[in-house]
């Protein structure tokens, strides 16, 4: 599980993918930079969603997912500009068949939303 930081009131860009094999650290960094998965390794489920839990609240589902390439996706989530947003936000990419059977899921990613000082 990786931990990233983001100030309250900004957007979190959550990049994820469904590779057919374990990625190397360099390949993972390439995916997180928005440059996709290695050729021939991406899996595209029929339905792709992001489940996220903002700062200990109930899990929410985001279906507005952007496909960056074979098996590579990202979602954009806006955080409120308030202290209620401050804390850990957990994200997970989930893929399923058109009938809803799960076929892929990513490891959890934690983004720590921090206070802004102005």
């Amino acid at each position: 599980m990786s931990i990233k930081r983001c100030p309250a009131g900004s957007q979190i860009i959550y990049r994820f993918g469904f590779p057919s094999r374990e990625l190397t650290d360099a390949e993972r960094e390439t995916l997180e930079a928005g440059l996709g998965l290695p050729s021939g390794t991406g899996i595209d489920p029929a339905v792709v969603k992001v489940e996220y839990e903002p700062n200990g609240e109930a899990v929410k589902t985001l279906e507005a997912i952007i496909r960056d390439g074979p098996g590579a996706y990202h979602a954009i989530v806006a955080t409120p500009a308030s202290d209620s947003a401050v804390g850990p936000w957990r994200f997970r990419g989930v893929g399923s068949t058109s009938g809803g059977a799960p076929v892929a899921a990513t490891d959890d990613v934690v983004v720590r939303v921090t206070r802004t000082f102005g």
Side-chain angles (χ1 to χ4, degrees), residues 16-60:
F16 64 101
F18 301 119
S20 58
R21 61 170 173 77
E22 187 71 29
L23 298 178
T24 66
D25 289 343
E27 290 169 336
R28 186 171 289 107
E29 288 174 13
T30 299
L31 174 64
E32 290 176 358
L35 301 175
L37 290 168
S39 180
T41 64
I43 298 169
D44 285 311
V47 178
V48 177
K49 300 177 183 179
V50 168
E51 295 175 346
Y52 70 102
E53 180 183 348
N55 194 25
E57 295 179 15
V59 173
K60 299 179 182 190

Side-chain angles (χ1 to χ4, degrees), residues 3 17 28 35 45 47-48 58 66 82-83 88 90-91 97 108 111:
I3 299 176
R28 186 171 289 107
L35 301 175
V47 178
V48 177
I66 299 153
S82 68
D83 283 348
R90 297 183 188 288
F91 291 84
T97 66
D108 285 0
V111 176

